[in-house]
Amino acid sequence: MGCKENNQSTVLDSNSENVIKQKVDSLLNLMTIEEKVGQMNQYNGFWDVTGPTPTEGNAEKKYEHLKNGWVGSMLNVKGVKEVRAVQKIAVEESRLGIPLIIGFDVIHGYKTLSPIPLAESASWDTEAIKKSARIAASEASAAGINWTFAPMVDISQDAKWGRVMEGGGEDPYLGSKIAQARIKGFQGDDLSLPNTIAACAKHFAAYGFSESGKDYNTVDISGATLHNLVLPPFKAAADADVKTFMNAFNDLNGIPATANKYLQRDILKGTWNWKGFIVSDWASIGEIKTWGRAKDNKDAARIAVEAGSDMDMESYAYIEELANLVREGTVKESILDDAVRRILRVKFELGLFEDPYRYCDEAREKEIIGNKKNHDAVLDMAKKSIVLLKNENNLLPLKKEGQNIVLIGALASDKNSPLGSWRLASDNNTAVSVLEGMQNYKGNSLVYKKGADLTIGKTSFTKELNINTTDKSEFNSAISAAKKADVVVMVLGEHGFQSGEGRSRTNLQLPGVQQELLEEVYKVNKNIVLVLNNGRPLAITWADKHIPAIVEGWQLGTQSGNAIAQVLYGDYNPSGKLPMTFPRNVGQTPIYYNHKSTGRPEPMQDPNMVFWTHYSDVDNSPLYAFGHGLSYTSFKYSNLKLSKSTASIKDDITVSVDITNTGKIDGKEVVQLYIRDLVASLARPIKELKGFNLTELKAGQTKTIEFTLNKSSLGFYDNKGEYMIEPGEFKIFIGGSSNTVLETNFELIP
């Protein structure tokens, strides 16, 4: 057909929106209903494309659909040879030759892995995060992939939810900045370049508020919570021109997200006027009937497409039901046309019509994936992600010579767990372990003892882990070595597969026998540095009370051990800040800094009075506050000033503060600005992050940091989603964490 010839010969010079619209409309006019539905159908990779052609079962059916032009996208096909082969079928064997978009979960890297996203968020360094996504995009695109199912921009306040490891933490302002940085890194300035990939903001919406932190669970929240906490990172993603959104698995106030017209058509495609396309999460269209919202797959297909879901990932509802629904008049063909236009538009922007094989360069694949430049970049990101939680008596950094150091913990020698969850294209056991990182420092005596296994048997992304809860047979060896040490470094925490999708937990303490091991070693040597490896906030109250130095080392990816060792030995001064609050115990969760005051926030007159907002068995305060993170130097805040103490709603207000490095070494500090609206038509949080500045100061240096507040900073959304900015008094807070050190007031007038 003519479309195929156009793909090869009629290349228009301009990639402007109007030109792309003309191309899309021209192609759409040639398409049958089945071909339109095909563009809305995404299949998982179903056979070795370079191997024998499938001849039976579901694989043969999918293969025939591919040849018929009834597949718009495939996921989990990777590597240039495989992608080229499957793209060739779509382009050269189907009637219209429409190229496939190839999707993959490039969550924190492709082959060379950066830290898990929650860890990257702890850097508060949006430029570094953008660069990390750029590295991931360069490797993935070199392997033939042109679409990533990232970033996850869900805000979550509950560490029990396993997917907190995949997001930007608990705060909508920080989460919005991180979302835009990652999108910019993936998509670059020109999506048609072969080293960029389309990004996907997920999961739309409120997945991070799943009841009790249990994955795939129900969500019931107010309109104010939806618009003030959940939606801002998605709006930021839309403003950053993210090319795709993905639905959430949860329901929202009784309506499954995949079937939610208010979210998809009214807000995203309506109010926000976003032009990309929405893909379901895996089989979530079919799950509309499981929720009880649809009676069968046909009903689910109708509900989903009318609600605004453009592409069906692996539920077969669209490919099996939509054409008939259109022909019988139940679904308007114009709804299909809108979805297909959106999908084709992204394919044109990717340059796939100009060259369907632009991502299929074997020489580039060999050159880019896993090269030294990428390893250097992920090492830099890993160091920036580390958070120093505690450092009594300046136990850290370690001296570089003359010490007997004992390293303890199964995770200390583990080369697989530090890769974290969601690393589908990376090879197992390719992380630099902490043991290997510390062995690069030759001036001290270093002895390693496992102490105890964390897991029993093989670990796998697709299976529940078998955690060791009984075997303490190697305790004595570790304890004996610890007795002779000047310093004991213990690497404890979660396995990389204990967080992520489907990994909700009700126990946030150190898993297995690790807590017992820590306490036994402490009995013989109190000079302990605890290095945490984990994908979520943990409840380490005992450790905080007893262990002098605690380092949040997360799961830092390929260069994990080198990053941790360089921080422990002081070759890198830690500057990370927590993007999520750490609870004292799991009973405090969900816990977050930007809570409301409540009507009884303090003991009323009599300190023994029990009738106020509190627990009877633990303090209200978190173990570690949002934004907390220490350095090997110290910082002093002073001279907080406002450009005006009274301002109109139309005015900008400049906030300035002096920060001084009062220590003896250079360091970085994240200066954080919070506000509080003291009286409003809806109760407002006690603090809200509205600005941050990562600044580097030499020892003894003072800098003046400035922020600007305006009507976009000072307003809020009501329960109907209407933006409100109201006159009244505001507090301004400044500090190095949400436990701020300076404050002042100003008044907003009409």
Side-chain angles (χ1 to χ4, degrees):
M1 291 292 292
C3 179
K4 245 188 218 184
E5 295 172 4
N6 288 343
N7 289 346
Q8 302 299 322
S9 60
T10 309
V11 179
L12 301 179
D13 293 334
S14 174
N15 244 0
S16 70
E17 189 169 331
N18 286 337
V19 171
I20 288 178
K21 183 180 184 302
Q22 292 173 11
K23 294 177 181 179
V24 169
D25 287 344
S26 176
L27 180 52
L28 193 66
N29 287 333
L30 299 173
M31 297 175 71
T32 66
I33 291 176
E34 282 79 9
E35 286 167 335
K36 291 176 181 179
V37 172
Q39 286 302 298
M40 302 167 68
N41 178 37
Q42 183 184 60
Y43 281 148
N44 184 39
F46 51 93
W47 95 104
D48 180 356
V49 188
T50 56
T53 300
T55 57
E56 59 183 37
N58 201 37
E60 182 182 17
K61 180 180 177 181
K62 287 184 174 182
Y63 177 69
E64 290 301 317
H65 287 183
L66 194 59
K67 291 199 299 179
N68 290 341
W70 296 355
V71 183
S73 172
M74 291 186 66
L75 72 157
N76 295 333
V77 179
K78 60 183 175 69
V80 164
K81 288 183 178 179
E82 292 286 307
V83 171
R84 179 181 286 275
V86 76
Q87 193 72 279
K88 185 175 181 179
I89 297 169
V91 172
E92 300 183 23
E93 296 189 39
S94 70
R95 186 179 79 93
L96 294 177
I98 300 174
L100 299 166
I101 183 171
I102 305 296
F104 199 79
D105 284 290
V106 187
I107 304 302
H108 55 108
Y110 182 72
K111 184 75 73 173
T112 310
L113 296 180
S114 279
I116 59 172
L118 185 65
E120 286 193 347
S121 302
S123 72
W124 294 53
D125 189 334
T126 54
E127 283 302 311
I129 292 169
K130 182 172 74 172
K131 183 177 180 181
S132 172
R134 181 91 294 281
I135 296 298
S138 69
E139 287 201 350
S141 62
I145 293 158
N146 43 46
W147 181 21
T148 174
F149 304 124
M152 191 192 90
V153 302
D154 296 301
I155 297 301
S156 184
Q157 303 165 338
D158 196 339
K160 298 191 297 296
W161 190 50
R163 297 195 81 164
V164 297
M165 58 76 54
E166 205 178 333
E170 72 185 48
D171 182 75
Y173 181 87
L174 176 62
S176 296
K177 298 298 183 184
I178 291 169
Q180 291 186 322
R182 299 196 76 208
I183 290 163
K184 188 70 171 177
F186 287 132
Q187 296 187 168
D189 296 319
D190 183 353
L191 197 62
S192 68
L193 295 176
N195 64 349
T196 62
I197 58 179
C200 182
K202 65 182 189 185
H203 304 81
F204 198 60
Y207 192 28
F209 281 74
S210 291
E211 189 175 272
S212 69
K214 189 164 55 178
D215 219 341
Y216 319 117
N217 206 7
T218 190
V219 173
D220 198 331
I221 57 176
S222 70
T225 297
L226 175 67
H227 287 277
N228 289 301
L229 294 179
V230 171
L231 292 184
F234 288 103
K235 179 61 164 61
D239 291 344
D241 195 25
V242 68
K243 297 304 175 183
T244 66
F245 267 56
M246 180 184 287
N247 287 319
F249 279 123
N250 55 280
D251 77 333
L252 177 60
N253 302 335
I255 302 175
T258 312
N260 199 308
K261 178 180 178 293
Y262 175 64
L263 288 175
Q264 296 172 106
R265 291 215 182 273
D266 296 351
I267 294 177
L268 181 56
K269 295 177 178 180
T271 303
W272 297 353
N273 195 30
W274 177 73
K275 302 299 185 183
F277 73 86
I278 303 172
V279 63
S280 77
D281 210 333
W282 188 287
S284 67
I285 291 178
E287 291 173 8
I288 294 173
K289 64 181 184 292
T290 310
W291 278 104
R293 178 67 179 85
K295 63 183 179 181
D296 53 27
N297 238 26
K298 182 178 181 180
D299 199 23
R302 175 190 62 80
I303 292 169
V305 76
E306 289 180 344
S309 295
D310 301 309
M311 183 179 284
D312 176 6
M313 181 194 289
E314 273 288 320
S315 78
Y316 311 99
Y318 283 3
I319 197 65
E320 293 177 358
E321 306 292 351
L322 266 188
N324 288 334
L325 283 166
V326 172
R327 285 199 171 92
E328 68 187 30
T330 304
V331 170
K332 295 178 181 178
E333 189 171 355
S334 60
I335 292 179
L336 269 63
D337 290 346
D338 176 66
V340 175
R341 279 192 180 96
R342 292 170 178 274
I343 294 165
L344 293 177
R345 180 175 182 265
V346 173
K347 291 185 177 185
F348 274 111
E349 289 178 327
L350 283 164
L352 291 172
F353 282 93
E354 182 178 338
D355 178 9
Y357 307 112
R358 69 191 305 114
Y359 290 88
C360 299
D361 184 339
E362 290 187 50
R364 182 168 169 262
E365 184 176 31
K366 292 178 181 177
E367 174 192 352
I368 296 295
I369 296 178
N371 66 26
K372 184 179 184 301
K373 179 181 177 182
N374 295 348
H375 278 263
D376 290 344
V378 300
L379 173 60
D380 181 65
M381 186 73 251
K383 290 187 288 188
K384 290 174 177 175
S385 302
I386 293 171
V387 183
L388 181 61
L389 297 176
K390 185 180 179 183
N391 192 24
E392 286 183 354
N393 304 319
N394 294 321
L395 184 57
L396 290 174
L398 299 173
K399 296 177 182 177
K400 290 185 178 177
E401 56 185 12
Q403 287 194 313
N404 294 317
I405 296 178
V406 171
L407 179 64
I408 296 174
L411 290 174
S413 62
D414 199 315
K415 294 173 64 62
N416 200 36
S417 175
L419 298 175
S421 193
W422 285 119
R423 31 70 177 265
L424 303 183
S426 187
D427 298 320
N428 286 334
N429 300 304
T430 53
V432 177
S433 70
V434 176
L435 175 59
E436 290 170 326
M438 292 188 70
Q439 285 172 335
N440 291 328
Y441 291 83
K442 307 297 185 182
N444 290 321
S445 167
L446 179 65
V447 173
Y448 170 66
K449 298 292 181 180
K450 183 192 296 185
D453 286 313
L454 173 56
T455 61
I456 300 172
K458 293 183 178 180
T459 58
S460 169
F461 173 67
T462 58
K463 294 181 180 179
E464 296 287 349
L465 299 190
N466 190 4
I467 301 297
N468 170 31
T469 59
T470 57
D471 184 4
K472 308 174 196 175
S473 59
E474 297 188 59
F475 270 33
N476 287 339
S477 177
I479 293 167
S480 178
K483 289 179 181 178
K484 306 169 187 175
D486 295 311
V487 179
V488 178
V489 177
M490 299 188 70
V491 184
L492 307 176
E494 296 180 310
H495 189 276
F497 290 144
Q498 281 188 277
S499 58
E501 185 175 349
R503 267 71 176 187
S504 298
R505 293 181 59 204
T506 61
N507 186 341
L508 298 180
Q509 295 177 324
L510 294 172
V513 298
Q514 293 180 105
Q515 180 63 36
E516 294 175 74
L517 176 63
L518 177 62
E519 293 183 25
E520 291 301 315
V521 171
Y522 179 78
K523 290 177 182 177
V524 301
N525 192 330
K526 293 177 172 51
N527 237 19
I528 295 175
V529 176
L530 173 60
V531 177
L532 296 173
N533 282 180
N534 46 301
R536 53 157 59 86
L538 296 178
I540 54 164
T541 307
W542 186 93
D544 176 69
K545 183 178 180 180
H546 295 89
I547 305 302
I550 304 175
V551 174
E552 177 50 86
W554 309 107
Q555 286 134 9
L556 295 175
T558 304
Q559 287 290 324
S560 181
N562 284 333
I564 289 170
Q566 289 177 32
V567 166
L568 293 181
Y569 274 105
D571 285 337
Y572 188 87
N573 188 356
S575 57
K577 301 282 188 174
L578 293 179
M580 283 191 78
T581 303
F582 274 45
R584 296 181 179 276
N585 59 40
V586 72
Q588 284 187 313
T589 61
I591 184 171
Y592 45 96
Y593 85 91
N594 50 350
H595 58 82
K596 308 292 197 313
S597 173
T598 82
R600 295 187 175 187
E602 302 290 345
M604 301 177 72
Q605 297 179 347
D606 182 355
N608 297 315
M609 181 70 70
V610 299
F611 303 114
W612 62 288
T613 303
H614 73 297
Y615 301 103
S616 61
D617 57 348
V618 70
D619 192 77
N620 275 355
S621 65
L623 188 64
Y624 300 118
F626 172 83
H628 171 73
L630 305 177
S631 169
Y632 292 150
T633 189
S634 54
F635 301 98
K636 179 184 177 182
Y637 289 82
S638 62
N639 204 25
L640 174 59
K641 293 181 179 178
L642 302 181
S643 58
K644 53 190 75 175
S645 59
T646 301
S648 79
I649 289 173
K650 297 179 181 179
D651 290 341
D652 288 350
I653 302 168
T654 301
V655 182
S656 65
V657 67
D658 291 343
I659 179 170
T660 303
N661 182 342
T662 55
K664 297 180 179 179
I665 63 173
D666 302 346
K668 296 178 184 177
E669 173 72 335
V670 181
V671 182
Q672 300 165 43
L673 167 71
Y674 299 83
I675 70 163
R676 181 177 182 182
D677 187 348
L678 292 176
V679 179
S681 55
L682 288 180
R684 305 300 302 134
I686 63 166
K687 284 179 184 175
E688 296 178 272
L689 181 70
K690 293 297 180 179
F692 61 90
N693 185 300
L694 174 62
T695 186
E696 187 167 7
L697 295 98
K698 296 185 180 299
Q701 183 182 10
T702 297
K703 284 185 179 180
T704 299
I705 305 299
E706 290 190 349
F707 300 94
T708 300
L709 293 174
N710 52 39
K711 61 183 179 181
S712 66
S713 313
L714 301 174
F716 61 91
Y717 291 92
D718 67 11
N719 278 301
K720 295 180 180 179
E722 297 293 329
Y723 191 71
M724 315 277 290
I725 181 165
E726 300 174 338
E729 190 175 5
F730 287 76
K731 278 187 177 291
I732 304 292
F733 308 89
I734 292 280
S737 78
S738 56
N739 289 334
T740 49
V741 294
L742 299 176
E743 65 179 74
T744 188
N745 289 39
F746 77 93
E747 186 178 3
L748 196 64
I749 59 176

